[in-house]
Amino acid sequence: MTGGLDDPRLAEFRNELRAWLAEHAPREPVPLHGEERARYGAVWHRSLHQGGWMGLSWPEAYGGRGFPAVYEAVLNDEIGRAGAPAAPHVGFLGRALLHHGTEGQRRRFLPSLLSGEEVWCQGFSEPGAGSDLAALSTRAVLLGDHYLVNGQKIWTSDAAWADWCLLLVRTDPDAPKHRGISALVVDMATPGIEVRPIVQINGDTEFNEVFFTDVAVPVDAVVGAPGDGWRIAMTTVGYERGPADVGFSSRYARLLAELVALARANGVDEQQRLALARAHVQVEVLRAHVNRSLARRDDGAVPGPEGSVDKLLSTRTEQLLHHTAMDLFGAAPLTGDGAEVLSAYLYSRAASIAGGTSQIQRTIVAERLMGMPRSG
Ligand SMILES: Cc1cc2nc3c(=O)[nH]c(=O)nc-3n(C[C@H](O)[C@H](O)[C@H](O)COP(=O)(O)OP(=O)(O)OC[C@H]3O[C@@H](n4cnc5c(N)ncnc54)[C@H](O)[C@@H]3O)c2cc1C
């Protein structure tokens, strides 16, 4: 199916989904902070799963429905259009297990990840390894039937309520830095793991520091083979950066429509008018780009460096829209009346950092998509 989001063959699915959303989408706004937001998200996750809308493009053997990728995009598109909370972004960690895990790992972990019964976090970044992820130094030493893990992760989203972590560790300190890394599935209840929440500028506590002190992890928790960690990390970030943006365009279009309505009601200055026009163009560009990417995904290709284009486009759109919203709402968000506008604006600043910074995405586009010479 290569007609992208507008393929007429999707109409029946779309109608069914629209009707379901009209009945089941939560009416209460998403709570702004921490555990309350996570609890709200968990209820929405389970509701989507019970409705049969989670794992649309995942194999049926692991709890999915086996549809082409475009169905996931339609789901996100309709959710955005309905103004419902975004579908849980679990796919990028699950896909790593789907592509690289053993059959046992897939059957054990994927159904509960899709249903929301178990929550996952991504233990990649460290204080000394973010953009240069391969510099990570959390160690895992093999001792008979288990690894002993010591080190620290940071910016680990959802770690405070996660059941499992896809953890990158260094298993071979003598190998070249990209080759000495392994990926482990770690039970977050294992003794020796300490999670310390970090309070963000918008007051939320989405991410955390995670400390590992003599944490015993069974040897069969390795994903792929020891030393495969870099490959697994690249699969994960490929899904995290690219197809995640599918459907964001309808959420952005909805926000833009709200801002245009506000501008019509209250009037705008020339700069605000230009910002709205620019945002309109960016939303349309993103939608066209998403449609093109979808056609490629339907061929079953694993997302690669082209996901950096998706991420750059959506970051730019998100930041421009929320900046414009702050401008149009005037003093209200700063004086307490419009906390969600301020919170969304502050969170939009993170879009150019999370999942790899915009500078790193531009380098990937230059070197890997355009074939320009590698920098220093
Ligand atoms: C909201 C949010 C959620 C996150 N969730 C997670 C998570 O769940 N799990 C996880 O593992 N991580 C997570 N992260 C961490 C994120 O992946 C890192 O913050 C990101 O990769 C950047 O790494 P860093 O913070 O160490 O910055 P650094 O790598 O130290 O970069 C600092 C600055 O230097 C620039 N820079 C660095 N190297 C280069 C270069 N070679 N060329 C040009 N410029 C460069 C960067 O672009 C940036 O502006 C999250 C981050 C955010 C904001």
Side-chain angles (χ1 to χ4, degrees):
M1 197 178 289
T2 53
L5 285 170
D6 303 319
D7 195 305
R9 285 170 291 179
L10 292 168
E12 196 183 323
F13 177 79
R14 236 183 227 287
N15 289 338
E16 195 192 330
L17 176 54
R18 243 175 235 190
W20 186 87
L21 283 169
E23 200 181 325
H24 294 90
R27 310 254 174 261
E28 323 75 57
V30 182
L32 293 181
H33 302 309
E35 248 181 298
E36 212 190 327
R37 184 178 45 73
R39 265 198 302 273
Y40 175 104
V43 172
W44 178 224
H45 188 158
R46 280 196 290 274
S47 172
L48 282 166
H49 181 256
Q50 277 160 12
W53 308 111
M54 287 300 295
L56 292 171
S57 68
W58 290 65
E60 290 176 72
Y62 312 121
R65 294 184 65 184
F67 295 162
V70 68
Y71 282 78
E72 302 273 7
V74 173
L75 172 70
N76 290 322
D77 197 32
E78 289 300 327
I79 281 180
R81 208 182 296 249
H89 187 26
V90 293
F92 66 107
L93 292 172
R95 294 278 174 188
L97 292 177
L98 186 62
H99 286 293
H100 304 285
T102 60
E103 187 56 17
Q105 286 169 337
R106 290 184 200 140
R107 287 189 185 272
R108 162 64 187 84
F109 293 119
L110 295 181
S112 57
L113 174 122
L114 290 176
S115 70
E117 280 161 76
E118 292 183 316
V119 175
W120 281 70
C121 64
Q122 178 189 26
F124 286 14
S125 306
E126 297 184 0
S131 300
D132 185 11
L133 184 58
L136 64 90
S137 63
T138 294
R139 280 294 313 275
V141 178
L142 187 57
L143 296 174
D145 63 352
H146 68 277
Y147 286 97
L148 209 57
V149 177
N150 281 282
Q152 186 201 337
K153 296 290 168 177
I154 194 167
W155 319 125
T156 319
S157 299
D158 302 325
W161 39 81
D163 301 291
W164 296 95
C165 181
L166 183 65
L167 186 72
L168 291 183
V169 290
R170 188 160 298 286
T171 41
D172 184 353
D174 300 324
K177 69 177 185 176
H178 292 83
R179 299 224 186 101
I181 298 170
S182 301
L184 303 176
V185 167
V186 176
D187 182 344
M188 289 296 283
T190 316
I193 299 180
E194 188 196 347
V195 178
R196 292 187 203 157
I198 301 172
V199 181
Q200 295 156 216
I201 192 172
N202 63 355
D204 198 359
T205 48
E206 170 187 321
F207 49 41
N208 306 267
E209 293 178 289
V210 186
F211 297 85
F212 297 82
T213 309
D214 290 338
V215 175
V217 179
V219 74
D220 64 3
V222 177
V223 184
D228 273 353
W230 188 252
R231 204 159 57 93
I232 292 160
M234 291 306 101
T235 302
T236 313
V237 298
Y239 279 103
E240 186 179 7
R241 290 169 185 164
D245 299 338
V246 166
F248 280 17
S249 53
S250 50
R251 199 153 51 80
Y252 295 148
R254 192 183 163 92
L255 175 57
L256 177 64
E258 285 168 12
L259 296 180
V260 169
L262 190 71
R264 285 215 176 98
N266 298 348
V268 277
D269 62 30
E270 194 50 30
Q271 236 180 356
Q272 291 165 336
R273 189 198 309 275
L274 280 174
L276 286 171
R278 253 201 315 272
H280 176 80
V281 171
Q282 281 182 206
V283 168
E284 289 304 313
V285 168
L286 186 62
R287 192 177 162 84
H289 176 77
V290 161
N291 258 330
R292 195 177 51 173
S293 312
L294 271 174
R296 209 176 296 142
R297 281 178 71 203
D298 276 345
D299 295 338
V302 175
E306 70 284 351
S308 296
V309 177
D310 300 41
K311 183 162 193 287
L312 283 167
L313 283 176
S314 78
T315 294
R316 223 167 53 153
T317 312
E318 172 147 351
Q319 293 188 340
L320 177 61
L321 279 170
H322 288 292
H323 187 97
T324 308
M326 281 292 282
D327 210 23
L328 289 173
F329 277 90
L334 300 176
T335 54
D337 189 12
E340 67 295 338
V341 177
L342 177 61
S343 180
Y345 164 74
L346 291 172
Y347 194 74
S348 75
R349 307 312 304 160
S352 45
I353 304 172
T357 69
S358 289
Q359 288 82 0
I360 296 303
Q361 305 315 311
R362 286 191 200 99
T363 298
I364 292 171
V365 170
E367 291 179 354
R368 299 189 51 201
L369 296 182
M370 300 169 70
M372 289 166 72
R374 293 180 74 83
S375 51

